[in-house]
Amino acid sequence: VEGNGQTELVEALAGLRAVGAGSVRVAGREVAALGVRERAEAGVSHIPEDRHRRGLVLDYSIADNLVFGLQHRFARGARLERGRIAANAERLIREFDIRPADPTLPARALSGGNQQKIVIAREMTGRDYHVLLAAQPTRGVDVGAIEFIHDQLRRARAAGKGIVLVSADLAEILALSDRVAVMYRGRFVTVLPRGEATADRLGPYMTGAAGAAGGEAAA
């Protein structure tokens, strides 16, 4: 259920919110004191829950949005290499079926599903990440895009990537997750293996009827 600290937890893991206590480790490396870019270089990739606020600059081109956060990899000195940016865009537009397939179009000209594909293409191919923070990755997209995004997440899992999936869609959680954690008032109140996680069992934790007094602080 949204509003129980999921947003704050993901922001703390991504480096967008200061961590007051505890640690954040990626592949054994402590990253809690690092900024967003440094965490990304350490292997953290982030699909934000609000693609307009955190994931895209709507008036910029598809090509430019596909390299945000990665500009230093497409630059020689202080100058961006436009040819490489265009080639990167053409490849990702093809691989992720982003429509219309014109890298010069502003991101705002695309549907919500295709805007989300830009974010996913950038975050899942732009760096060799260890952990993917996927916050509400299918919010506001059409059925076809939902299936495509689910397939990308399954492929990442099969490739050995760690995925923290946050979703308000219980069916999505149950379809994709190996373990299911429920947050209530800023704490994990249960963590269950998928085989034990059913709607009936999770419901009391989601409403606070079970486990509200226990659990561990989330952030």
Side-chain angles (χ1 to χ4, degrees):
V1 178
E2 292 186 77
N4 281 295
Q6 297 93 334
T7 296
E8 292 80 2
L9 173 61
V10 171
E11 289 181 352
L13 294 174
L16 296 168
R17 180 181 293 265
V19 176
S23 65
V24 181
R25 295 182 180 274
V26 178
R29 179 184 176 187
E30 176 60 57
V31 300
L34 301 182
V36 174
R37 177 170 169 177
E38 290 78 13
R39 293 194 199 197
E41 293 296 330
V44 177
S45 209
H46 178 209
I47 300 170
E49 66 178 72
D50 186 340
R51 58 180 169 269
H52 290 172
R53 180 171 175 236
R54 297 285 196 189
L56 299 166
V57 177
L58 293 175
D59 289 328
Y60 282 28
S61 70
I62 295 171
D64 284 340
N65 274 284
L66 283 167
V67 298
F68 279 153
L70 305 166
Q71 298 98 317
H72 57 291
R73 300 187 180 184
F74 292 87
R76 181 172 295 178
R79 185 174 182 177
L80 291 172
E81 296 185 281
R82 284 292 169 186
R84 290 182 58 214
I85 291 173
N88 176 72
E90 290 175 4
R91 176 178 63 85
L92 293 180
I93 286 171
R94 182 174 59 254
E95 290 181 6
F96 285 80
D97 192 26
I98 298 170
R99 303 180 187 183
D102 181 352
T104 67
L105 285 176
R108 71 168 61 255
L110 278 63
S111 67
N114 283 287
Q115 289 177 356
Q116 189 72 344
K117 285 182 181 180
I118 295 173
V119 177
I120 288 170
R122 182 186 67 226
E123 296 302 318
M124 296 186 71
T125 66
R127 60 178 64 90
D128 184 19
Y129 62 91
H130 298 295
V131 178
L132 175 67
L133 307 174
Q136 312 289 355
T138 59
R139 172 179 282 166
V141 305
D142 58 54
V143 173
I146 288 173
E147 289 303 316
F148 179 87
I149 293 166
H150 285 181
D151 185 56
Q152 295 302 313
L153 294 173
R154 291 189 185 99
R155 289 186 181 188
R157 179 181 63 183
K161 307 298 185 182
I163 301 174
V164 179
L165 170 65
V166 176
S167 177
D169 183 345
L170 181 57
E172 179 171 68
I173 292 289
L174 296 178
L176 296 175
S177 301
D178 297 307
R179 291 184 296 166
V180 179
V182 178
M183 290 188 71
Y184 185 77
R185 293 185 177 177
R187 295 178 177 272
F188 290 122
V189 290
T190 191
V191 181
L192 297 173
R194 173 61 186 88
E196 299 177 17
T198 64
D200 287 342
R201 186 164 184 187
L202 293 172
Y205 292 102
M206 294 166 63
T207 61
E216 296 180 357

